[in-house]
Amino acid sequence: MKPRPRPRRRPRRSTRLLEVLLLLAFLGTAAFVAAHLPTLQRAGGLLRDSLASGGLLGELLGYLQTALRDLKDVLLSPELVGLYVLITGGIILLENKNPDRTVAWLLVLVLLPLVGLLLYFLVGPRFVAMRWFRRCTPSASSALTELSEVQARKLAEGDAPFLPPVAPPFDRTVRLLLRNSRTPLLAHNEVTVLTDGDATFGAILGALREARHFIHLEYFAIANDGIGNEIREVLEERSRAGVAVRVVYDGVGSWKLGKDYLDSLQEAGVEAHPFLPASFPMFRREFNYRNHRKILVVDGHTGFVGGLNIGDMYLGRNPEMGHWRDTHLRLRGEGVSKLQEIFLRDWQFCTRKPLEGADLFPCVEEVYPEKPLQIATSGPDSIWEAILQGYFSLISGARRRIWITTPYLVPSPDLIGALKVAALSGLDVRIIIPGKADHKMVYWASRGNLDDLLGAGIRVYSYQNGFIHSKIVLVDGEVASVGTANMDLRSLEINYEVQAFLYDRGVTERLEADFVQDLAHSREFTLEERRCRPLKERFLESLCRLLSPQL
């Protein structure tokens, strides 16, 4: 029986109303500026004359005072004030999906009236961008999509003997990801945990050198440095040997890659394309939506996914950051097909040309052990926040312990609530975060959540042996999640991410061993020391936590 097609989700009426409201506000602002154009031109001319005059300070100040008076009369006019009230009122009434985000935007609009309005039009109305991304993103592989729908239907009917057993209550996470990310449960896999850069890049270089048919590489950040050029040289050598090499890099994350690097790849026959390039990122809507995925697929039988980008920093060669603690996975078996599907979709999004051919999804001839997994994606092209919901399902299903490693601890209110409920229920909840900052605002925002978590009995640790960048969730010694998604709003609600959910005790125990080792290099936070922290730190934490919905 052929599965029924999934009905398209219709936009909410409030979303359409807000789009109309914003369009009217834009048109109204344009009409208002046109009506007051002579005054604005006069004010601009006075400012220009004041800068060019080079006269006495008093004359210069007089020019500025006259220009500002003209601008004030325009900016404080009843028409513009009324328009501004209309926009903020629309945001309050209609953009109600994330209250924290709404409050943050209201503060920006009130405290920075004109600048805030410009920022909101550029990056604020997320639903507009999401609809555009979904329209431009190609559909998923029909074979994997059909498999996920068959599995979802069989599980709902209680008739799925072909699926490997997943311990309850984590079988509901399987059903969740089947529906919200359309990712099937893939049973037979070889999963190798790669701890830190030496193990990860050693395995990656080995797989690249053995490539015979194609290499598909997709990374948020590729650096033009030692390891970046070593990988480039291998890609070029394989391309000259007849291997099809395709590269997707994020237009902002790989901002400093350089023309020479890309020209060298192109001369060797490597196809490389940026994901959402932004010539002037501060003025582009796409700047806010980045491809944070790290995927490598070699010949369709070996795949890599995890937290490491390509660069010397991830090998611990940056003196400022020191040792870089991270986690990656090497997959062989059925799970590689899902990584391939994700790459092919992103490739088509970048090039507008689909890749086709039976050799892209070769049959898995070797029999791999039963290590079931799902690989979920989320981003502006997704209807559901699949990875966030997957995290929530794992946390709410835990019975003994929840261990988390994340470089950024700025989760959504529902995840914070789930963690607090788990800890207050007597579960062992522990979180490791970095002891040093790679991004100052997120560093302080993460610490702004500590008091709330510590008060509920959650044990939080500061990693002291360099910088920790792993993105791991471990539950009950039975289920693990490893990938690119940080425990923050940007990863879970904005960026393109990919995360593996692994339902295997052996893999989970291996990751738990790393977690215990990381605890030995960490210092635990206490409420007593938090109460004694300096006023400056309190201010930074409060300010950055307030801005966290926009980070």
Side-chain angles (χ1 to χ4, degrees):
M1 178 178 175
K2 189 176 180 180
R4 291 176 296 177
R6 184 183 299 272
R8 293 181 65 106
R9 192 179 179 188
R10 301 178 67 179
R12 292 185 307 170
R13 182 171 297 179
S14 60
T15 296
R16 292 177 173 174
L17 287 173
L18 188 50
E19 289 182 359
V20 171
L21 178 60
L22 289 173
L23 177 61
L24 292 174
F26 176 79
L27 294 175
T29 302
F32 182 86
V33 169
H36 293 81
L37 189 58
T39 302
L40 295 173
Q41 288 176 333
R42 179 168 174 262
L46 289 170
L47 287 172
R48 183 177 64 252
D49 293 343
S50 69
L51 295 174
S53 64
L56 297 175
L57 180 61
E59 182 180 355
L60 178 62
L61 293 176
Y63 276 122
L64 290 172
Q65 184 178 9
T66 304
L68 291 174
R69 185 173 59 249
D70 287 343
L71 286 175
K72 183 183 69 173
D73 293 339
V74 174
L75 297 178
L76 297 181
S77 63
E79 298 94 332
L80 195 58
V81 171
L83 183 62
Y84 211 76
V85 170
L86 178 66
I87 295 173
T88 54
I91 296 171
I92 294 172
L93 294 174
L94 300 177
E95 193 179 275
N96 55 8
K97 184 177 182 181
N98 187 328
D100 292 335
R101 175 181 164 83
T102 301
V103 170
W105 271 118
L106 288 175
L107 286 173
V108 171
L109 290 167
V110 171
L111 298 177
L112 302 171
L114 288 180
V115 176
L117 180 61
L118 177 62
L119 288 173
Y120 185 76
F121 274 119
L122 288 174
V123 301
R126 186 180 305 169
F127 54 85
V128 178
M130 283 184 171
R131 285 176 58 182
W132 181 80
F133 283 124
R134 290 171 192 162
R135 185 170 63 249
C136 294
T137 301
S139 59
S141 161
S142 58
L144 288 175
T145 299
E146 183 174 348
L147 177 60
S148 67
E149 292 177 348
V150 169
Q151 289 184 356
R153 188 177 70 253
K154 292 289 187 180
L155 283 171
E157 296 171 352
D159 178 26
F162 56 89
L163 291 180
V166 174
F170 304 115
D171 53 347
R172 73 179 187 183
T173 304
V174 174
R175 292 194 296 271
L176 169 72
L177 296 176
L178 280 168
R179 299 188 66 183
N180 68 5
S181 188
R182 288 192 287 183
T183 177
L185 184 68
L186 301 169
H188 296 285
N189 301 279
E190 176 188 283
V191 181
T192 304
V193 177
L194 303 169
T195 303
D196 295 335
D198 288 333
T200 300
F201 290 116
I204 285 175
L205 287 167
L208 291 176
R209 293 187 177 110
E210 294 174 358
R212 295 295 179 265
H213 304 291
F214 61 81
I215 295 170
H216 291 162
L217 186 146
E218 176 177 348
Y219 270 81
F220 171 70
I222 303 175
N224 188 351
D225 57 15
I227 188 63
N229 281 288
E230 187 175 355
I231 288 178
R232 174 185 58 77
E233 290 170 1
V234 175
L235 295 178
E236 292 173 356
E237 185 275 327
R238 289 288 79 202
S239 179
R240 292 190 179 101
V243 175
V245 182
R246 303 177 180 97
V247 176
V248 172
Y249 60 94
D250 186 77
V252 173
S254 302
W255 180 263
K256 298 180 180 179
L257 189 55
K259 186 174 183 296
D260 292 342
Y261 190 104
L262 296 171
D263 287 346
S264 180
L265 288 174
Q266 185 176 8
E267 289 171 4
V270 176
E271 296 183 74
H273 293 275
F275 193 96
L276 289 178
S279 301
F280 301 96
M282 65 290 296
F283 299 116
R284 293 283 298 275
R285 176 187 63 192
E286 293 87 347
F287 176 66
N288 204 34
Y289 303 92
R290 304 318 319 163
N291 188 333
H292 196 239
R293 295 168 182 162
K294 295 98 177 168
I295 293 173
L296 172 61
V297 178
V298 177
D299 291 342
H301 60 67
T302 302
F304 294 83
V305 65
L308 286 116
N309 291 293
I310 296 175
D312 286 347
M313 178 169 63
Y314 307 99
L315 284 162
R317 298 174 183 172
N318 184 320
E320 183 179 347
M321 301 307 297
H323 171 66
W324 190 276
R325 170 69 183 92
D326 218 323
T327 303
H328 227 71
L329 297 177
R330 181 182 65 194
L331 304 180
R332 290 194 173 109
E334 297 175 355
V336 179
S337 62
K338 184 62 181 181
L339 293 177
Q340 176 77 315
E341 179 202 63
I342 297 166
F343 176 88
L344 294 178
R345 292 180 65 199
D346 291 345
W347 178 265
Q348 185 174 343
F349 182 89
C350 294
T351 65
R352 298 295 185 266
K353 297 178 182 178
L355 285 175
E356 298 176 346
D359 60 324
L360 295 174
F361 292 92
C363 295
V364 179
E365 298 178 356
E366 186 175 348
V367 178
Y368 291 98
E370 190 173 80
K371 295 183 182 294
L373 60 82
Q374 290 173 288
I375 298 177
T377 60
S378 62
D381 58 336
S382 305
I383 295 176
W384 301 104
E385 293 156 350
I387 297 175
L388 185 154
Q389 292 175 352
Y391 281 169
F392 186 90
S393 178
L394 292 183
I395 292 168
S396 61
R399 294 165 295 182
R400 297 189 303 277
R401 63 179 178 266
I402 303 164
W403 291 353
I404 295 172
T405 304
T406 180
Y408 314 126
L409 184 60
V410 194
S412 59
D414 48 357
L415 281 183
I416 290 180
L419 290 169
K420 289 162 62 176
V421 167
L424 290 168
S425 301
L427 276 66
D428 175 14
V429 183
R430 306 189 194 194
I431 304 174
I432 300 177
I433 61 175
K436 59 173 60 177
D438 66 333
H439 298 291
K440 294 290 186 181
M441 289 190 67
V442 192
Y443 172 85
W444 291 112
S446 297
R447 275 152 174 72
N449 288 311
L450 291 182
D451 292 347
D452 200 21
L453 298 173
L454 294 173
I458 297 172
R459 304 177 69 181
V460 186
Y461 300 80
S462 172
Y463 187 75
Q464 302 296 301
N465 186 29
F467 184 79
I468 195 161
H469 191 249
S470 301
K471 305 97 164 48
I472 301 173
V473 178
L474 307 170
V475 180
D476 289 347
E478 298 178 357
V479 180
S481 179
V482 179
T484 69
N486 301 309
M487 192 73 71
D488 69 347
L489 295 172
R490 169 159 290 278
S491 276
L492 299 177
E493 297 186 5
I494 299 177
N495 284 343
Y496 290 81
E497 304 283 359
V498 56
Q499 196 79 8
F501 289 78
L502 306 138
Y503 309 96
D504 180 77
R505 183 182 295 273
V507 174
T508 304
E509 288 177 350
R510 168 67 176 79
L511 291 164
E512 283 189 336
D514 280 352
F515 188 90
V516 172
Q517 184 68 27
D518 294 335
L519 284 178
H521 294 289
S522 302
R523 179 180 58 83
E524 187 171 1
F525 290 98
T526 65
L527 283 173
E528 289 73 22
E529 76 170 45
R530 292 283 300 166
R531 295 190 184 102
C532 299
R533 69 192 187 279
L535 180 62
K536 177 183 177 182
E537 292 186 9
R538 294 173 183 266
F539 173 76
L540 288 172
E541 289 173 2
S542 298
L543 176 63
C544 294
R545 186 182 183 187
L546 184 66
L547 297 174
S548 62
Q550 312 308 325
L551 296 179

